[in-house]
Amino acid sequence: MAVVGNSPEVLANNYGAEIDSHEVVMRMNMFKISQIHKVNTGEKINIFVSNANKDVIFSNNYNQENLAKYKWLYLAMDFWHIQLSDFLFENVPFFLSKHCDIIRNSDTKLCYFYPKFSSDIRQRAKIAVATTGLKILYHLTEEGIPFDEYGFNSEIKEGIYPNDLKEELDSPSDNFDEALVTSAYYRNLNFWGTGHNLNQELRFRRSLKSRSRLS
C-alpha cells in the first residue's frame, strides 16, 4: 500500500511510477493529480480519505467522475469540522445528501474512524489537531498494515509555503509556534485558533517508524 500525502516534497522526486506500482494507493482531502506532476505523484487511487469539511466536499475530488475512481471513501472527520455556519447555510444537509448519492450512484464503499480515534491520537502525539495524513499513518500502524509513505514532510520547517500538489495553498495555520499550540491544547484555551503542528507530527511519525515499514 502507498499512502500519498499532500506535502510539496513529493514533487522533488520522480516517485510516480513507484507509487502507481502499489496494489493500493491512498490519497486524501485536497489532493490534485495533473499531467505536469504525475511523474512525481503518480495518478492511481483506490482509497480517498476525506476529513469531510465543506472545502473538501465542494472540491473536484467529490464530483461523480472522480468518485467513480475510488473503491473506498474513508471519512476521517471530527465534530469541529461542522461549524455553526454550516447549519445556518444548510451545508449539513448537503453533506448528508452528497454521501447518500455516493452510496446510491456508485460502487464506492464508505467507512470511518471510530469516534474516540481523534482524541486518542491527539493525546498520543501531543498535538491539538491531527492532520488527516497522520490519522491514516497512525491507524495503519496500529492495525499492523505495512505501507510506504510519500508526500509527507521529512524535516523541521518554519513559515508558510505554496503547494502546487493541492487544489489550494496550504492553510496559514499549517506552520506556527508549536509551544503555543501544545500548551493551548492542554489548557483547552485558544483551541479554535490553532492549526496543524507539522513539526510535532513529524516527530511522532518518526516514533512510528520502528513499528511499521515506511519508505
Side-chain angles (χ1 to χ4, degrees), residues 18-49:
E18 181 178 324
I19 290 172
D20 287 349
S21 69
H22 289 78
E23 183 177 355
V24 176
V25 178
M26 180 182 293
R27 303 178 193 268
M28 58 203 72
N29 290 334
M30 304 292 280
F31 81 90
K32 181 175 69 175
I33 295 174
S34 65
Q35 290 299 313
I36 191 173
H37 290 312
K38 70 178 184 179
V39 65
N40 308 112
T41 66
E43 55 186 341
K44 183 177 181 178
I45 177 171
N46 309 95
I47 302 176
F48 175 50
V49 186

PDB file of all heavy atoms in Angstrom, residues 18-49:
ATOM      1  N   GLU A  18       6.676   4.415  -9.111  1.00  0.00           N
ATOM      2  CA  GLU A  18       6.789   3.591  -7.905  1.00  0.00           C
ATOM      3  C   GLU A  18       5.484   3.612  -7.104  1.00  0.00           C
ATOM      4  O   GLU A  18       5.023   2.567  -6.632  1.00  0.00           O
ATOM      5  CB  GLU A  18       7.937   4.097  -7.042  1.00  0.00           C
ATOM      6  CG  GLU A  18       8.161   3.293  -5.762  1.00  0.00           C
ATOM      7  CD  GLU A  18       9.337   3.809  -4.958  1.00  0.00           C
ATOM      8  OE1 GLU A  18      10.336   4.247  -5.573  1.00  0.00           O
ATOM      9  OE2 GLU A  18       9.272   3.784  -3.711  1.00  0.00           O
ATOM     10  N   ILE A  19       4.887   4.790  -6.987  1.00  0.00           N
ATOM     11  CA  ILE A  19       3.609   4.898  -6.269  1.00  0.00           C
ATOM     12  C   ILE A  19       2.546   4.065  -6.968  1.00  0.00           C
ATOM     13  O   ILE A  19       1.823   3.276  -6.344  1.00  0.00           O
ATOM     14  CB  ILE A  19       3.181   6.372  -6.169  1.00  0.00           C
ATOM     15  CG1 ILE A  19       4.103   7.135  -5.213  1.00  0.00           C
ATOM     16  CG2 ILE A  19       1.724   6.480  -5.705  1.00  0.00           C
ATOM     17  CD1 ILE A  19       3.882   8.641  -5.203  1.00  0.00           C
ATOM     18  N   ASP A  20       2.440   4.215  -8.285  1.00  0.00           N
ATOM     19  CA  ASP A  20       1.398   3.524  -9.033  1.00  0.00           C
ATOM     20  C   ASP A  20       1.619   2.018  -9.108  1.00  0.00           C
ATOM     21  O   ASP A  20       0.700   1.268  -9.453  1.00  0.00           O
ATOM     22  CB  ASP A  20       1.302   4.091 -10.452  1.00  0.00           C
ATOM     23  CG  ASP A  20       0.666   5.475 -10.490  1.00  0.00           C
ATOM     24  OD1 ASP A  20       0.110   5.895  -9.458  1.00  0.00           O
ATOM     25  OD2 ASP A  20       0.745   6.135 -11.549  1.00  0.00           O
ATOM     26  N   SER A  21       2.825   1.556  -8.785  1.00  0.00           N
ATOM     27  CA  SER A  21       3.092   0.108  -8.813  1.00  0.00           C
ATOM     28  C   SER A  21       2.465  -0.612  -7.623  1.00  0.00           C
ATOM     29  O   SER A  21       2.380  -1.836  -7.615  1.00  0.00           O
ATOM     30  CB  SER A  21       4.604  -0.151  -8.828  1.00  0.00           C
ATOM     31  OG  SER A  21       5.205   0.200  -7.574  1.00  0.00           O
ATOM     32  N   HIS A  22       2.030   0.133  -6.604  1.00  0.00           N
ATOM     33  CA  HIS A  22       1.393  -0.481  -5.442  1.00  0.00           C
ATOM     34  C   HIS A  22      -0.008  -0.974  -5.805  1.00  0.00           C
ATOM     35  O   HIS A  22      -0.707  -0.357  -6.611  1.00  0.00           O
ATOM     36  CB  HIS A  22       1.298   0.523  -4.293  1.00  0.00           C
ATOM     37  CG  HIS A  22       2.617   0.838  -3.660  1.00  0.00           C
ATOM     38  ND1 HIS A  22       3.546   1.696  -4.236  1.00  0.00           N
ATOM     39  CD2 HIS A  22       3.166   0.426  -2.489  1.00  0.00           C
ATOM     40  CE1 HIS A  22       4.606   1.782  -3.445  1.00  0.00           C
ATOM     41  NE2 HIS A  22       4.409   1.029  -2.388  1.00  0.00           N
ATOM     42  N   GLU A  23      -0.405  -2.049  -5.201  1.00  0.00           N
ATOM     43  CA  GLU A  23      -1.750  -2.582  -5.446  1.00  0.00           C
ATOM     44  C   GLU A  23      -2.817  -1.613  -4.970  1.00  0.00           C
ATOM     45  O   GLU A  23      -3.870  -1.458  -5.593  1.00  0.00           O
ATOM     46  CB  GLU A  23      -1.919  -3.929  -4.736  1.00  0.00           C
ATOM     47  CG  GLU A  23      -3.266  -4.586  -4.997  1.00  0.00           C
ATOM     48  CD  GLU A  23      -3.388  -5.950  -4.359  1.00  0.00           C
ATOM     49  OE1 GLU A  23      -2.382  -6.433  -3.779  1.00  0.00           O
ATOM     50  OE2 GLU A  23      -4.481  -6.544  -4.421  1.00  0.00           O
ATOM     51  N   VAL A  24      -2.547  -0.954  -3.842  1.00  0.00           N
ATOM     52  CA  VAL A  24      -3.489   0.004  -3.269  1.00  0.00           C
ATOM     53  C   VAL A  24      -2.778   1.337  -3.080  1.00  0.00           C
ATOM     54  O   VAL A  24      -1.688   1.389  -2.518  1.00  0.00           O
ATOM     55  CB  VAL A  24      -4.038  -0.489  -1.916  1.00  0.00           C
ATOM     56  CG1 VAL A  24      -4.937   0.574  -1.287  1.00  0.00           C
ATOM     57  CG2 VAL A  24      -4.801  -1.799  -2.090  1.00  0.00           C
ATOM     58  N   VAL A  25      -3.402   2.414  -3.559  1.00  0.00           N
ATOM     59  CA  VAL A  25      -2.872   3.765  -3.384  1.00  0.00           C
ATOM     60  C   VAL A  25      -3.933   4.613  -2.690  1.00  0.00           C
ATOM     61  O   VAL A  25      -5.081   4.677  -3.130  1.00  0.00           O
ATOM     62  CB  VAL A  25      -2.474   4.418  -4.722  1.00  0.00           C
ATOM     63  CG1 VAL A  25      -1.962   5.837  -4.492  1.00  0.00           C
ATOM     64  CG2 VAL A  25      -1.420   3.575  -5.436  1.00  0.00           C
ATOM     65  N   MET A  26      -3.525   5.263  -1.614  1.00  0.00           N
ATOM     66  CA  MET A  26      -4.422   6.075  -0.797  1.00  0.00           C
ATOM     67  C   MET A  26      -4.012   7.541  -0.907  1.00  0.00           C
ATOM     68  O   MET A  26      -2.851   7.886  -0.735  1.00  0.00           O
ATOM     69  CB  MET A  26      -4.334   5.591   0.665  1.00  0.00           C
ATOM     70  CG  MET A  26      -5.202   6.327   1.647  1.00  0.00           C
ATOM     71  SD  MET A  26      -4.950   5.700   3.351  1.00  0.00           S
ATOM     72  CE  MET A  26      -5.617   4.053   3.224  1.00  0.00           C
ATOM     73  N   ARG A  27      -4.984   8.414  -1.203  1.00  0.00           N
ATOM     74  CA  ARG A  27      -4.754   9.857  -1.252  1.00  0.00           C
ATOM     75  C   ARG A  27      -5.830  10.542  -0.431  1.00  0.00           C
ATOM     76  O   ARG A  27      -6.841   9.927  -0.081  1.00  0.00           O
ATOM     77  CB  ARG A  27      -4.769  10.366  -2.704  1.00  0.00           C
ATOM     78  CG  ARG A  27      -3.741   9.666  -3.602  1.00  0.00           C
ATOM     79  CD  ARG A  27      -3.817  10.170  -5.043  1.00  0.00           C
ATOM     80  NE  ARG A  27      -3.060   9.308  -5.938  1.00  0.00           N
ATOM     81  CZ  ARG A  27      -1.788   9.488  -6.271  1.00  0.00           C
ATOM     82  NH1 ARG A  27      -1.134  10.538  -5.785  1.00  0.00           N
ATOM     83  NH2 ARG A  27      -1.172   8.663  -7.089  1.00  0.00           N
ATOM     84  N   MET A  28      -5.660  11.846  -0.148  1.00  0.00           N
ATOM     85  CA  MET A  28      -6.558  12.466   0.817  1.00  0.00           C
ATOM     86  C   MET A  28      -6.880  13.923   0.520  1.00  0.00           C
ATOM     87  O   MET A  28      -6.119  14.641  -0.135  1.00  0.00           O
ATOM     88  CB  MET A  28      -5.984  12.338   2.230  1.00  0.00           C
ATOM     89  CG  MET A  28      -4.616  12.952   2.407  1.00  0.00           C
ATOM     90  SD  MET A  28      -3.694  12.234   3.800  1.00  0.00           S
ATOM     91  CE  MET A  28      -3.285  10.607   3.146  1.00  0.00           C
ATOM     92  N   ASN A  29      -8.044  14.315   0.981  1.00  0.00           N
ATOM     93  CA  ASN A  29      -8.525  15.702   1.016  1.00  0.00           C
ATOM     94  C   ASN A  29      -8.365  16.437  -0.304  1.00  0.00           C
ATOM     95  O   ASN A  29      -8.956  16.060  -1.303  1.00  0.00           O
ATOM     96  CB  ASN A  29      -7.869  16.457   2.167  1.00  0.00           C
ATOM     97  CG  ASN A  29      -8.369  15.972   3.516  1.00  0.00           C
ATOM     98  OD1 ASN A  29      -9.483  15.460   3.628  1.00  0.00           O
ATOM     99  ND2 ASN A  29      -7.564  16.114   4.551  1.00  0.00           N
ATOM    100  N   MET A  30      -7.540  17.487  -0.333  1.00  0.00           N
ATOM    101  CA  MET A  30      -7.459  18.374  -1.486  1.00  0.00           C
ATOM    102  C   MET A  30      -6.337  17.969  -2.448  1.00  0.00           C
ATOM    103  O   MET A  30      -5.715  18.817  -3.086  1.00  0.00           O
ATOM    104  CB  MET A  30      -7.255  19.813  -1.025  1.00  0.00           C
ATOM    105  CG  MET A  30      -8.304  20.329  -0.061  1.00  0.00           C
ATOM    106  SD  MET A  30      -9.928  20.523  -0.801  1.00  0.00           S
ATOM    107  CE  MET A  30      -9.703  22.080  -1.646  1.00  0.00           C
ATOM    108  N   PHE A  31      -6.077  16.683  -2.554  1.00  0.00           N
ATOM    109  CA  PHE A  31      -5.016  16.244  -3.460  1.00  0.00           C
ATOM    110  C   PHE A  31      -5.378  16.616  -4.903  1.00  0.00           C
ATOM    111  O   PHE A  31      -6.543  16.768  -5.265  1.00  0.00           O
ATOM    112  CB  PHE A  31      -4.797  14.736  -3.336  1.00  0.00           C
ATOM    113  CG  PHE A  31      -5.780  13.900  -4.124  1.00  0.00           C
ATOM    114  CD1 PHE A  31      -5.515  13.536  -5.435  1.00  0.00           C
ATOM    115  CD2 PHE A  31      -6.968  13.486  -3.551  1.00  0.00           C
ATOM    116  CE1 PHE A  31      -6.410  12.772  -6.162  1.00  0.00           C
ATOM    117  CE2 PHE A  31      -7.871  12.719  -4.262  1.00  0.00           C
ATOM    118  CZ  PHE A  31      -7.597  12.359  -5.576  1.00  0.00           C
ATOM    119  N   LYS A  32      -4.353  16.755  -5.728  1.00  0.00           N
ATOM    120  CA  LYS A  32      -4.559  17.091  -7.135  1.00  0.00           C
ATOM    121  C   LYS A  32      -3.567  16.306  -7.972  1.00  0.00           C
ATOM    122  O   LYS A  32      -2.385  16.252  -7.657  1.00  0.00           O
ATOM    123  CB  LYS A  32      -4.377  18.589  -7.363  1.00  0.00           C
ATOM    124  CG  LYS A  32      -4.598  19.022  -8.808  1.00  0.00           C
ATOM    125  CD  LYS A  32      -4.512  20.538  -8.941  1.00  0.00           C
ATOM    126  CE  LYS A  32      -3.117  21.061  -8.724  1.00  0.00           C
ATOM    127  NZ  LYS A  32      -3.001  22.516  -8.970  1.00  0.00           N
ATOM    128  N   ILE A  33      -4.051  15.699  -9.023  1.00  0.00           N
ATOM    129  CA  ILE A  33      -3.191  14.983  -9.966  1.00  0.00           C
ATOM    130  C   ILE A  33      -3.235  15.729 -11.288  1.00  0.00           C
ATOM    131  O   ILE A  33      -4.310  15.942 -11.859  1.00  0.00           O
ATOM    132  CB  ILE A  33      -3.663  13.531 -10.157  1.00  0.00           C
ATOM    133  CG1 ILE A  33      -3.522  12.747  -8.854  1.00  0.00           C
ATOM    134  CG2 ILE A  33      -2.864  12.863 -11.268  1.00  0.00           C
ATOM    135  CD1 ILE A  33      -4.106  11.355  -8.915  1.00  0.00           C
ATOM    136  N   SER A  34      -2.085  16.148 -11.766  1.00  0.00           N
ATOM    137  CA  SER A  34      -2.019  16.871 -13.036  1.00  0.00           C
ATOM    138  C   SER A  34      -1.003  16.203 -13.943  1.00  0.00           C
ATOM    139  O   SER A  34      -0.119  15.461 -13.483  1.00  0.00           O
ATOM    140  CB  SER A  34      -1.632  18.333 -12.797  1.00  0.00           C
ATOM    141  OG  SER A  34      -0.322  18.422 -12.268  1.00  0.00           O
ATOM    142  N   GLN A  35      -1.130  16.452 -15.226  1.00  0.00           N
ATOM    143  CA  GLN A  35      -0.211  15.857 -16.192  1.00  0.00           C
ATOM    144  C   GLN A  35       1.226  16.273 -15.917  1.00  0.00           C
ATOM    145  O   GLN A  35       2.149  15.472 -16.041  1.00  0.00           O
ATOM    146  CB  GLN A  35      -0.618  16.278 -17.610  1.00  0.00           C
ATOM    147  CG  GLN A  35      -1.913  15.661 -18.097  1.00  0.00           C
ATOM    148  CD  GLN A  35      -1.837  14.146 -18.162  1.00  0.00           C
ATOM    149  OE1 GLN A  35      -0.874  13.580 -18.687  1.00  0.00           O
ATOM    150  NE2 GLN A  35      -2.842  13.483 -17.618  1.00  0.00           N
ATOM    151  N   ILE A  36       1.423  17.509 -15.506  1.00  0.00           N
ATOM    152  CA  ILE A  36       2.776  18.012 -15.302  1.00  0.00           C
ATOM    153  C   ILE A  36       3.442  17.395 -14.078  1.00  0.00           C
ATOM    154  O   ILE A  36       4.668  17.263 -14.020  1.00  0.00           O
ATOM    155  CB  ILE A  36       2.766  19.557 -15.193  1.00  0.00           C
ATOM    156  CG1 ILE A  36       4.205  20.092 -15.257  1.00  0.00           C
ATOM    157  CG2 ILE A  36       2.078  20.020 -13.919  1.00  0.00           C
ATOM    158  CD1 ILE A  36       4.283  21.598 -15.337  1.00  0.00           C
ATOM    159  N   HIS A  37       2.641  16.967 -13.089  1.00  0.00           N
ATOM    160  CA  HIS A  37       3.219  16.463 -11.847  1.00  0.00           C
ATOM    161  C   HIS A  37       3.073  14.950 -11.659  1.00  0.00           C
ATOM    162  O   HIS A  37       3.605  14.410 -10.692  1.00  0.00           O
ATOM    163  CB  HIS A  37       2.573  17.152 -10.644  1.00  0.00           C
ATOM    164  CG  HIS A  37       2.933  18.599 -10.498  1.00  0.00           C
ATOM    165  ND1 HIS A  37       4.229  19.048 -10.563  1.00  0.00           N
ATOM    166  CD2 HIS A  37       2.168  19.704 -10.299  1.00  0.00           C
ATOM    167  CE1 HIS A  37       4.256  20.359 -10.404  1.00  0.00           C
ATOM    168  NE2 HIS A  37       3.012  20.780 -10.254  1.00  0.00           N
ATOM    169  N   LYS A  38       2.404  14.262 -12.567  1.00  0.00           N
ATOM    170  CA  LYS A  38       2.142  12.844 -12.305  1.00  0.00           C
ATOM    171  C   LYS A  38       3.410  11.992 -12.317  1.00  0.00           C
ATOM    172  O   LYS A  38       3.426  10.897 -11.750  1.00  0.00           O
ATOM    173  CB  LYS A  38       1.106  12.291 -13.269  1.00  0.00           C
ATOM    174  CG  LYS A  38       1.539  12.140 -14.697  1.00  0.00           C
ATOM    175  CD  LYS A  38       0.399  11.528 -15.512  1.00  0.00           C
ATOM    176  CE  LYS A  38       0.828  11.269 -16.950  1.00  0.00           C
ATOM    177  NZ  LYS A  38      -0.282  10.659 -17.726  1.00  0.00           N
ATOM    178  N   VAL A  39       4.495  12.486 -12.946  1.00  0.00           N
ATOM    179  CA  VAL A  39       5.767  11.771 -12.865  1.00  0.00           C
ATOM    180  C   VAL A  39       6.267  11.736 -11.432  1.00  0.00           C
ATOM    181  O   VAL A  39       7.007  10.820 -11.033  1.00  0.00           O
ATOM    182  CB  VAL A  39       6.824  12.418 -13.792  1.00  0.00           C
ATOM    183  CG1 VAL A  39       7.171  13.831 -13.321  1.00  0.00           C
ATOM    184  CG2 VAL A  39       8.075  11.559 -13.876  1.00  0.00           C
ATOM    185  N   ASN A  40       5.855  12.713 -10.621  1.00  0.00           N
ATOM    186  CA  ASN A  40       6.226  12.759  -9.206  1.00  0.00           C
ATOM    187  C   ASN A  40       5.180  12.103  -8.312  1.00  0.00           C
ATOM    188  O   ASN A  40       5.525  11.439  -7.327  1.00  0.00           O
ATOM    189  CB  ASN A  40       6.410  14.204  -8.741  1.00  0.00           C
ATOM    190  CG  ASN A  40       7.341  14.997  -9.629  1.00  0.00           C
ATOM    191  OD1 ASN A  40       6.906  15.914 -10.312  1.00  0.00           O
ATOM    192  ND2 ASN A  40       8.617  14.655  -9.640  1.00  0.00           N
ATOM    193  N   THR A  41       3.916  12.326  -8.621  1.00  0.00           N
ATOM    194  CA  THR A  41       2.834  11.910  -7.718  1.00  0.00           C
ATOM    195  C   THR A  41       2.174  10.606  -8.106  1.00  0.00           C
ATOM    196  O   THR A  41       1.504   9.985  -7.288  1.00  0.00           O
ATOM    197  CB  THR A  41       1.737  12.979  -7.675  1.00  0.00           C
ATOM    198  OG1 THR A  41       1.110  13.063  -8.970  1.00  0.00           O
ATOM    199  CG2 THR A  41       2.301  14.340  -7.316  1.00  0.00           C
ATOM    200  N   GLY A  42       2.352  10.181  -9.367  1.00  0.00           N
ATOM    201  CA  GLY A  42       1.550   9.081  -9.868  1.00  0.00           C
ATOM    202  C   GLY A  42       0.123   9.542 -10.087  1.00  0.00           C
ATOM    203  O   GLY A  42      -0.213  10.706  -9.856  1.00  0.00           O
ATOM    204  N   GLU A  43      -0.733   8.634 -10.518  1.00  0.00           N
ATOM    205  CA  GLU A  43      -2.127   9.002 -10.763  1.00  0.00           C
ATOM    206  C   GLU A  43      -3.120   7.959 -10.276  1.00  0.00           C
ATOM    207  O   GLU A  43      -4.328   8.182 -10.312  1.00  0.00           O
ATOM    208  CB  GLU A  43      -2.346   9.268 -12.257  1.00  0.00           C
ATOM    209  CG  GLU A  43      -1.941   8.130 -13.166  1.00  0.00           C
ATOM    210  CD  GLU A  43      -2.048   8.509 -14.652  1.00  0.00           C
ATOM    211  OE1 GLU A  43      -2.770   9.489 -14.950  1.00  0.00           O
ATOM    212  OE2 GLU A  43      -1.420   7.825 -15.485  1.00  0.00           O
ATOM    213  N   LYS A  44      -2.631   6.860  -9.799  1.00  0.00           N
ATOM    214  CA  LYS A  44      -3.524   5.797  -9.328  1.00  0.00           C
ATOM    215  C   LYS A  44      -4.132   6.163  -7.982  1.00  0.00           C
ATOM    216  O   LYS A  44      -3.497   6.803  -7.151  1.00  0.00           O
ATOM    217  CB  LYS A  44      -2.717   4.496  -9.205  1.00  0.00           C
ATOM    218  CG  LYS A  44      -3.518   3.277  -8.781  1.00  0.00           C
ATOM    219  CD  LYS A  44      -2.611   2.049  -8.781  1.00  0.00           C
ATOM    220  CE  LYS A  44      -3.361   0.786  -8.380  1.00  0.00           C
ATOM    221  NZ  LYS A  44      -2.469  -0.402  -8.423  1.00  0.00           N
ATOM    222  N   ILE A  45      -5.375   5.774  -7.775  1.00  0.00           N
ATOM    223  CA  ILE A  45      -6.014   5.939  -6.465  1.00  0.00           C
ATOM    224  C   ILE A  45      -7.084   4.869  -6.290  1.00  0.00           C
ATOM    225  O   ILE A  45      -7.894   4.635  -7.190  1.00  0.00           O
ATOM    226  CB  ILE A  45      -6.626   7.348  -6.282  1.00  0.00           C
ATOM    227  CG1 ILE A  45      -7.350   7.436  -4.932  1.00  0.00           C
ATOM    228  CG2 ILE A  45      -7.540   7.712  -7.435  1.00  0.00           C
ATOM    229  CD1 ILE A  45      -7.808   8.825  -4.560  1.00  0.00           C
ATOM    230  N   ASN A  46      -7.051   4.199  -5.158  1.00  0.00           N
ATOM    231  CA  ASN A  46      -8.079   3.228  -4.781  1.00  0.00           C
ATOM    232  C   ASN A  46      -8.896   3.717  -3.599  1.00  0.00           C
ATOM    233  O   ASN A  46     -10.094   3.450  -3.501  1.00  0.00           O
ATOM    234  CB  ASN A  46      -7.447   1.878  -4.409  1.00  0.00           C
ATOM    235  CG  ASN A  46      -6.490   1.367  -5.451  1.00  0.00           C
ATOM    236  OD1 ASN A  46      -5.288   1.589  -5.351  1.00  0.00           O
ATOM    237  ND2 ASN A  46      -7.013   0.701  -6.470  1.00  0.00           N
ATOM    238  N   ILE A  47      -8.214   4.411  -2.692  1.00  0.00           N
ATOM    239  CA  ILE A  47      -8.874   4.860  -1.458  1.00  0.00           C
ATOM    240  C   ILE A  47      -8.708   6.371  -1.333  1.00  0.00           C
ATOM    241  O   ILE A  47      -7.594   6.895  -1.387  1.00  0.00           O
ATOM    242  CB  ILE A  47      -8.281   4.167  -0.218  1.00  0.00           C
ATOM    243  CG1 ILE A  47      -8.400   2.649  -0.332  1.00  0.00           C
ATOM    244  CG2 ILE A  47      -8.987   4.655   1.052  1.00  0.00           C
ATOM    245  CD1 ILE A  47      -7.744   1.888   0.806  1.00  0.00           C
ATOM    246  N   PHE A  48      -9.827   7.066  -1.173  1.00  0.00           N
ATOM    247  CA  PHE A  48      -9.811   8.508  -0.930  1.00  0.00           C
ATOM    248  C   PHE A  48     -10.186   8.750   0.521  1.00  0.00           C
ATOM    249  O   PHE A  48     -11.230   8.283   0.991  1.00  0.00           O
ATOM    250  CB  PHE A  48     -10.800   9.204  -1.859  1.00  0.00           C
ATOM    251  CG  PHE A  48     -10.944  10.686  -1.596  1.00  0.00           C
ATOM    252  CD1 PHE A  48      -9.829  11.505  -1.504  1.00  0.00           C
ATOM    253  CD2 PHE A  48     -12.193  11.256  -1.450  1.00  0.00           C
ATOM    254  CE1 PHE A  48      -9.949  12.864  -1.272  1.00  0.00           C
ATOM    255  CE2 PHE A  48     -12.332  12.617  -1.211  1.00  0.00           C
ATOM    256  CZ  PHE A  48     -11.210  13.417  -1.126  1.00  0.00           C
ATOM    257  N   VAL A  49      -9.330   9.456   1.244  1.00  0.00           N
ATOM    258  CA  VAL A  49      -9.572   9.764   2.645  1.00  0.00           C
ATOM    259  C   VAL A  49     -10.001  11.221   2.747  1.00  0.00           C
ATOM    260  O   VAL A  49      -9.287  12.110   2.306  1.00  0.00           O
ATOM    261  CB  VAL A  49      -8.319   9.516   3.510  1.00  0.00           C
ATOM    262  CG1 VAL A  49      -8.654   9.710   4.979  1.00  0.00           C
ATOM    263  CG2 VAL A  49      -7.774   8.117   3.267  1.00  0.00           C
TER     264      VAL A  49
END
